[in-house]
Amino acid sequence: MNSNTFRMPARTRAHRCAAATTAAALFACPLAVVALAAPAHATGGGGDGRASAAVLRTGLDVSLVDKTVDVPLKATLNEVQAPASAEKTVLAVQLDGVDRGRPFQVLRADVATAKATADRHRAEGFARLARARVHVPGLPLLSLIEVEKVTSKAVCEAGKQPVAESNLLGRVRVLGKKVTLTTGGTTRVEAPGVGEVTLDLSKTRTTSRTAAATALELKVSVNPLELNVAEVAGTVTLAEATCESPETPKAPVEQETPAAESPAGPGVEAQSGSEPAKENLAKTGGSSTTRYIAGGAVVLLAFGGAAMVLARARARS
């Protein structure tokens, strides 16, 4: 370096370095604060679905000949709630005053299956009857109904429309008569001297979260006048299945406070969504100490500028 080269005094260089360091530290602080701010997450869970199934259900009132007693016949074969299954093929009940109190067989079938399953994704109820014969009190030798095969299924999956379906295959006899049933319709069968039966085939119902299916529903009104039974009235249901969809898990909800427009602004502090808002916070998210930090920064910068001016004056002199 030649003699004309200007040399900065050591004290002036020290003042400039101190001022630059102070300013850099002040402007770097907001970056550190923003980096520490983390988004808040809220998660929600779902519950298991529900399902049920039953092979046969009776809701009958049995009137005795003397009309002094009405005996209710409310029985269910293979009724299950998820998760469960049953395969009992014979149902017998005992009614006081009917056939001297001996057990009365309501149903006999080669296959009688009911299953119900449910978890967080899917719920299903299923019922099946094959080669089944149903009897009511007072008609021990004449079947109320005989069916080859009936099934019902109800399926409910999370986030999907529930589905319900019933099927009937093969011949059907009601009070000894062969009948042709109409899908989704009603069929009426009369037997002189015995009574009448009204049948509803394949009844299904669905909502946004539930489904129900019934293969056959019989409305019964018979007058057997045997085994001390004067009248039997009520309903008999074959192959019933229901389900309810699992609760759809709630998607994670992310809540994040918008960061400041520029990290260079002094005193900017990000606030997470989990912290309560403070009354004196500015819209940018600054805390109540922002004005003190800003004031200190101004003082320090002014001090640094004054030092630099003084150093230059001394150099010129």
Side-chain angles (χ1 to χ4, degrees), residues 185-291:
T186 299
T187 302
R188 182 179 178 184
V189 179
E190 294 185 13
V194 177
E196 67 177 35
V197 176
T198 301
L199 299 91
D200 287 324
L201 173 64
S202 300
K203 296 180 64 175
T204 60
R205 183 182 71 258
T206 60
T207 67
S208 60
R209 286 192 59 201
T210 64
T214 300
L216 277 171
E217 185 175 85
L218 291 71
K219 294 180 180 179
V220 181
S221 179
V222 295
N223 302 282
L225 296 177
E226 294 183 20
L227 302 179
N228 196 36
V229 175
E231 183 180 2
V232 178
T235 61
V236 174
T237 303
L238 297 180
E240 178 184 79
T242 68
C243 68
E244 180 178 345
S245 297
E247 294 181 4
T248 304
K250 297 179 181 178
V253 178
E254 183 174 325
Q255 298 177 350
E256 184 174 351
T257 302
E261 294 182 0
S262 173
V268 177
E269 180 182 359
Q271 180 181 358
S272 66
S274 60
E275 297 178 356
K278 299 179 182 178
E279 294 182 0
N280 296 326
L281 290 182
K283 292 183 179 180
T284 57
S287 68
S288 58
T289 60
T290 299
R291 59 180 179 271

Side-chain angles (χ1 to χ4, degrees), residues 17 45 55 66 82 109-110 117 121 128 141 146 158 222 228 231 235:
C17 290
V55 165
D66 54 18
D110 290 353
T117 59
H121 306 287
R128 180 177 65 165
L141 302 178
E146 299 178 21
V222 295
N228 196 36
E231 183 180 2
T235 61

